[in-house]
Amino acid sequence: MKDVLNTIDGEQRPPVNGRWLDNIEPATAALLGRIASSDSDDVDLAWQAANAAHPSWSGCTGAERGRWMHRLADAVEANGEELARL
């Protein structure tokens, strides 16, 4: 079973409220894992992290931001492929 956590401030974190959603394979009804059932507390933490990162992020050149966005896209794609294998 695999838990899908929140990524906040570069860290994988469980939901603040401790609540989870079951991730069910629809064809077999098998439980694949859990997904964080995030709420406004998690959003507030993410906003605080983004707000703290803003000064350094806004100082990046367009090329630097592009490189970071490509890295993010690669990570999302890799995570999606991993989830598809579950």
Side-chain angles (χ1 to χ4, degrees), residues 18-20 25 82 86:
R19 292 192 304 261
W20 297 87
E25 163 57 52
E82 179 180 328
L86 292 176

Side-chain angles (χ1 to χ4, degrees), residues 53-82:
H54 181 264
S56 62
W57 178 253
S58 64
C60 291
T61 66
E64 289 172 308
R65 289 183 196 171
R67 284 191 292 277
W68 279 107
M69 295 307 291
H70 280 286
R71 287 182 65 189
L72 174 61
D74 291 344
V76 168
E77 183 178 343
N79 189 42
E81 290 171 1
E82 179 180 328

